[in-house]
Amino acid sequence: DRPQSLYLPERHADMQGERMRILAINGSPRKDGNTARLLKEITKDHADVDLDYYNLNELKIKDCQACFYCKKNDACAVKDDMQLLYKKLREADALVIGSPIYFSTETASTRAFIDRMYALLAFGDGPGKYVPRLKPGKKVIAVFPCGNPNGQEFYAEVAKRMFATWGMLGFKEVHPFVIQGTSPQGNVLELVRAQEVVKECHGLLGD
């Protein structure tokens, strides 16, 4: 069965204006691992927010087929669970995505998700130029827990690549974080670095 998204309950019925929508994507194969702990801690206890949370490992998402259908149409030709995430991403004000770094980069499922974002770009007025199809003003938080004790330095290029990727897609704010020194047997939330990142992310999401 298709995984159900999680919604935070109403907190202030008399709140004026629209509620903020957050899409959280867990790119780890572990449903309750360190990446999931980070995502849930970052997205919990926000007032007046609707939250959609998905585990990529539970979804069926193929690699980009490089068919260029999306450049002639505002849609992707591959009819899989990515169609659901396109809809949720278009609706969201903020994306919170996480992936462990196992072997120098994000997981394969996370990479496939990001590659499929190509459908959200239209060709621009020259080679290598694109026009984002997403509504402007969105923000993205990307967290990358890793076991390397020097991960912030060693995997700096992963964080740097996020600026280019999400910036091209029209995101107004891009906030990547590498959390180093994690362990599958430990709790990432006990690390000072993780606590600092969570606190900063709460501020970025409006707390």
Side-chain angles (χ1 to χ4, degrees):
D1 293 339
R2 174 173 291 170
Q4 298 296 309
S5 59
L6 305 179
Y7 292 92
L8 288 178
E10 290 276 352
R11 295 182 185 273
H12 299 290
D14 59 346
M15 178 71 178
Q16 298 295 317
E18 295 184 1
R19 293 161 61 85
M20 184 180 186
R21 298 188 67 91
I22 298 175
L23 173 61
I25 300 290
N26 178 18
S28 170
R30 299 174 181 267
K31 289 178 59 175
D32 300 306
N34 283 321
T35 303
R37 290 189 185 103
L38 282 167
L39 293 176
K40 291 174 182 178
E41 193 69 18
I42 287 169
T43 57
K44 77 174 187 179
D45 296 334
H46 292 281
D48 304 299
V49 163
D50 288 328
L51 171 68
D52 293 302
Y53 183 104
Y54 294 96
N55 293 298
L56 289 182
N57 203 46
E58 295 180 340
L59 302 178
K60 294 181 179 179
I61 298 177
K62 294 182 66 176
D63 291 336
C64 173
Q65 300 299 294
C67 63
F68 293 101
Y69 177 88
C70 62
K71 298 302 167 272
K72 298 178 181 178
N73 306 271
D74 186 6
C76 176
V78 182
K79 304 306 180 184
D80 57 9
D81 286 336
M82 193 65 197
Q83 297 297 332
L84 170 65
L85 297 187
Y86 286 138
K87 179 179 182 294
K88 295 298 183 180
L89 187 57
R90 290 179 186 275
E91 296 172 349
D93 300 298
L95 169 66
V96 182
I97 184 170
S99 169
I101 296 177
Y102 291 144
F103 196 52
S104 299
T105 191
E106 63 267 28
T107 60
S109 58
T110 305
R111 186 66 251 167
F113 169 78
I114 293 174
D115 281 348
R116 292 285 295 279
M117 293 292 100
Y118 188 56
L120 299 177
L121 294 172
F123 278 144
D125 58 0
K129 294 185 178 180
Y130 298 93
V131 178
R133 288 171 168 154
L134 286 175
K135 178 182 175 182
K138 298 179 186 290
K139 64 179 67 176
V140 57
I141 292 171
V143 292
F144 301 98
C146 65
N148 190 317
N150 300 307
Q152 283 179 258
E153 178 181 358
F154 200 78
Y155 299 124
E157 80 285 352
V158 175
K160 183 178 180 181
R161 181 159 39 83
M162 292 300 106
F163 285 106
T165 299
W166 299 104
M168 183 184 297
L169 287 162
F171 280 72
K172 180 181 179 181
E173 297 181 32
V174 182
H175 304 279
F177 301 92
V178 175
I179 296 93
Q180 62 192 22
T182 65
S183 167
Q185 292 75 37
N187 184 344
V188 65
L189 299 177
E190 296 176 355
L191 299 178
V192 173
R193 166 67 175 166
Q195 294 167 7
E196 293 172 346
V197 168
V198 168
K199 182 178 180 179
E200 182 172 349
C201 290
H202 279 178
L204 293 171
L205 293 176
D207 281 10

